[in-house]
Short mmCIF file of all heavy atoms in Angstrom, two decimals:
data_model
loop_
_atom_site.label_atom_id
_atom_site.label_comp_id
_atom_site.label_asym_id
_atom_site.label_seq_id
_atom_site.Cartn_x
_atom_site.Cartn_y
_atom_site.Cartn_z
N ASN N 30 0.18 32.79 7.45
CA ASN N 30 0.34 31.34 7.30
C ASN N 30 -0.77 30.68 6.48
O ASN N 30 -0.73 29.47 6.25
CB ASN N 30 0.45 30.68 8.68
CG ASN N 30 1.81 30.93 9.30
OD1 ASN N 30 2.80 31.10 8.58
ND2 ASN N 30 1.88 30.97 10.63
N GLU N 31 -1.74 31.46 6.02
CA GLU N 31 -2.78 30.89 5.16
C GLU N 31 -2.16 30.39 3.85
O GLU N 31 -2.42 29.26 3.42
CB GLU N 31 -3.86 31.95 4.87
CG GLU N 31 -4.69 32.29 6.11
CD GLU N 31 -5.36 33.66 6.05
OE1 GLU N 31 -5.26 34.34 5.02
OE2 GLU N 31 -5.96 34.05 7.06
N SER N 32 -1.33 31.23 3.23
CA SER N 32 -0.69 30.79 1.97
C SER N 32 0.33 29.69 2.25
O SER N 32 0.51 28.79 1.43
CB SER N 32 -0.05 31.97 1.24
OG SER N 32 0.96 32.54 2.03
N PHE N 33 0.97 29.77 3.41
CA PHE N 33 1.94 28.71 3.79
C PHE N 33 1.25 27.34 3.87
O PHE N 33 1.74 26.35 3.32
CB PHE N 33 2.58 29.09 5.12
CG PHE N 33 3.57 28.08 5.64
CD1 PHE N 33 4.69 27.74 4.91
CD2 PHE N 33 3.36 27.46 6.87
CE1 PHE N 33 5.60 26.80 5.39
CE2 PHE N 33 4.26 26.53 7.35
CZ PHE N 33 5.38 26.20 6.61
N ALA N 34 0.09 27.32 4.53
CA ALA N 34 -0.65 26.05 4.66
C ALA N 34 -1.07 25.53 3.28
O ALA N 34 -1.01 24.33 3.02
CB ALA N 34 -1.88 26.26 5.55
N ARG N 35 -1.44 26.42 2.40
CA ARG N 35 -1.83 26.00 1.04
C ARG N 35 -0.63 25.40 0.29
O ARG N 35 -0.76 24.40 -0.42
CB ARG N 35 -2.39 27.19 0.24
CG ARG N 35 -3.72 27.72 0.74
CD ARG N 35 -4.40 28.59 -0.31
NE ARG N 35 -3.64 29.78 -0.65
CZ ARG N 35 -3.73 30.95 -0.03
NH1 ARG N 35 -4.54 31.08 1.01
NH2 ARG N 35 -3.03 31.98 -0.42
N MET N 36 0.53 26.05 0.47
CA MET N 36 1.73 25.54 -0.20
C MET N 36 2.09 24.14 0.31
O MET N 36 2.47 23.27 -0.46
CB MET N 36 2.92 26.47 0.06
CG MET N 36 2.97 27.66 -0.87
SD MET N 36 4.49 28.58 -0.60
CE MET N 36 3.89 29.95 0.35
N VAL N 37 1.97 23.97 1.63
CA VAL N 37 2.34 22.69 2.23
C VAL N 37 1.43 21.57 1.73
O VAL N 37 1.91 20.50 1.33
CB VAL N 37 2.31 22.77 3.78
CG1 VAL N 37 2.43 21.39 4.40
CG2 VAL N 37 3.44 23.67 4.28
N ILE N 38 0.13 21.82 1.71
CA ILE N 38 -0.78 20.75 1.27
C ILE N 38 -0.58 20.45 -0.21
O ILE N 38 -0.64 19.29 -0.63
CB ILE N 38 -2.27 21.06 1.62
CG1 ILE N 38 -3.11 19.79 1.55
CG2 ILE N 38 -2.88 22.12 0.73
CD1 ILE N 38 -2.73 18.71 2.53
N SER N 39 -0.31 21.49 -1.00
CA SER N 39 -0.04 21.26 -2.43
C SER N 39 1.19 20.39 -2.61
O SER N 39 1.19 19.44 -3.39
CB SER N 39 0.18 22.59 -3.16
OG SER N 39 -0.92 23.44 -2.98
N ALA N 40 2.26 20.73 -1.86
CA ALA N 40 3.52 19.98 -1.98
C ALA N 40 3.33 18.53 -1.56
O ALA N 40 3.86 17.61 -2.19
CB ALA N 40 4.60 20.66 -1.14
N ILE N 52 -5.71 19.42 -6.99
CA ILE N 52 -4.90 20.14 -6.00
C ILE N 52 -5.55 21.49 -5.69
O ILE N 52 -5.64 21.91 -4.53
CB ILE N 52 -3.46 20.36 -6.52
CG1 ILE N 52 -2.75 19.01 -6.69
CG2 ILE N 52 -2.66 21.27 -5.58
CD1 ILE N 52 -1.32 19.11 -7.19
N ARG N 56 -6.62 22.76 -2.05
CA ARG N 56 -5.98 24.00 -1.60
C ARG N 56 -7.03 24.99 -1.11
O ARG N 56 -6.87 25.64 -0.08
CB ARG N 56 -5.27 24.62 -2.80
CG ARG N 56 -3.85 25.06 -2.55
CD ARG N 56 -3.07 25.13 -3.85
NE ARG N 56 -3.67 25.95 -4.86
CZ ARG N 56 -3.21 27.15 -5.26
NH1 ARG N 56 -2.12 27.64 -4.69
NH2 ARG N 56 -3.79 27.81 -6.21
N THR N 57 -8.13 25.10 -1.85
CA THR N 57 -9.19 26.03 -1.47
C THR N 57 -9.84 25.59 -0.16
O THR N 57 -10.06 26.40 0.75
CB THR N 57 -10.26 26.12 -2.58
OG1 THR N 57 -9.61 26.44 -3.81
CG2 THR N 57 -11.29 27.19 -2.27
N VAL N 59 -8.57 23.73 2.25
CA VAL N 59 -7.63 23.93 3.36
C VAL N 59 -7.55 25.41 3.71
O VAL N 59 -7.52 25.79 4.89
CB VAL N 59 -6.23 23.36 3.01
CG1 VAL N 59 -5.16 23.84 3.98
CG2 VAL N 59 -6.28 21.83 2.99
N SER N 60 -7.54 26.26 2.69
CA SER N 60 -7.49 27.70 2.93
C SER N 60 -8.69 28.16 3.74
O SER N 60 -8.56 28.96 4.68
CB SER N 60 -7.45 28.43 1.58
OG SER N 60 -7.12 29.78 1.76
N VAL N 63 -8.30 26.83 7.44
CA VAL N 63 -7.25 27.54 8.17
C VAL N 63 -7.68 28.99 8.43
O VAL N 63 -7.44 29.54 9.52
CB VAL N 63 -5.91 27.48 7.40
CG1 VAL N 63 -4.89 28.43 7.99
CG2 VAL N 63 -5.36 26.05 7.40
N THR N 64 -8.35 29.60 7.46
CA THR N 64 -8.83 30.98 7.66
C THR N 64 -9.84 31.03 8.80
O THR N 64 -9.83 31.96 9.61
CB THR N 64 -9.45 31.53 6.35
OG1 THR N 64 -8.46 31.50 5.33
CG2 THR N 64 -9.93 32.97 6.53
N LEU N 77 -2.21 21.42 10.91
CA LEU N 77 -2.65 20.82 9.65
C LEU N 77 -2.05 19.43 9.56
O LEU N 77 -0.84 19.27 9.67
CB LEU N 77 -2.15 21.68 8.47
CG LEU N 77 -2.32 21.07 7.06
CD1 LEU N 77 -3.78 20.93 6.67
CD2 LEU N 77 -1.58 21.94 6.03
N GLU B 20 -2.56 35.95 -5.13
CA GLU B 20 -3.46 35.15 -4.31
C GLU B 20 -4.34 36.06 -3.46
O GLU B 20 -3.85 36.86 -2.68
CB GLU B 20 -2.64 34.21 -3.42
CG GLU B 20 -1.69 33.31 -4.21
CD GLU B 20 -1.21 32.13 -3.40
OE1 GLU B 20 -0.70 32.37 -2.29
OE2 GLU B 20 -1.36 31.00 -3.87
N ILE B 21 -5.65 35.92 -3.65
CA ILE B 21 -6.59 36.76 -2.89
C ILE B 21 -7.19 35.93 -1.78
O ILE B 21 -8.16 35.20 -1.97
CB ILE B 21 -7.68 37.33 -3.82
CG1 ILE B 21 -7.02 38.10 -4.98
CG2 ILE B 21 -8.60 38.26 -3.04
CD1 ILE B 21 -8.00 38.68 -5.98
N ASP B 22 -6.56 36.00 -0.61
CA ASP B 22 -7.06 35.28 0.56
C ASP B 22 -7.31 36.29 1.69
O ASP B 22 -7.22 37.50 1.49
CB ASP B 22 -6.09 34.17 0.99
CG ASP B 22 -4.74 34.71 1.43
OD1 ASP B 22 -4.54 35.95 1.49
OD2 ASP B 22 -3.85 33.88 1.73
N HIS B 23 -7.64 35.80 2.86
CA HIS B 23 -7.95 36.66 4.01
C HIS B 23 -6.79 37.60 4.32
O HIS B 23 -6.97 38.77 4.64
CB HIS B 23 -8.30 35.76 5.21
CG HIS B 23 -8.20 36.42 6.53
ND1 HIS B 23 -7.24 36.08 7.45
CD2 HIS B 23 -8.93 37.42 7.09
CE1 HIS B 23 -7.39 36.83 8.54
NE2 HIS B 23 -8.41 37.63 8.35
N PHE B 54 -5.16 32.51 -7.22
CA PHE B 54 -5.94 31.83 -6.18
C PHE B 54 -6.92 32.82 -5.57
O PHE B 54 -6.58 33.97 -5.34
CB PHE B 54 -5.01 31.28 -5.09
CG PHE B 54 -5.75 30.66 -3.93
CD1 PHE B 54 -6.16 29.33 -3.99
CD2 PHE B 54 -6.07 31.41 -2.81
CE1 PHE B 54 -6.87 28.77 -2.94
CE2 PHE B 54 -6.78 30.85 -1.75
CZ PHE B 54 -7.17 29.52 -1.82
N ASP B 56 -10.23 32.62 -2.45
CA ASP B 56 -11.18 31.85 -1.64
C ASP B 56 -12.32 32.77 -1.18
O ASP B 56 -12.49 33.86 -1.72
CB ASP B 56 -10.47 31.13 -0.48
CG ASP B 56 -9.80 32.10 0.48
OD1 ASP B 56 -10.12 33.31 0.45
OD2 ASP B 56 -8.95 31.65 1.27
#
Side-chain angles (χ1 to χ4, degrees):
Chain N
N30 285 332
E31 291 157 4
S32 62
F33 178 60
R35 292 196 298 272
M36 277 186 257
V37 169
I38 197 63
S39 304
I52 295 180
R56 228 157 54 109
T57 306
V59 166
S60 192
V63 169
T64 301
L77 170 66
Chain B
E20 304 197 307
I21 304 179
D22 63 4
H23 161 249
F54 175 86
D56 61 16

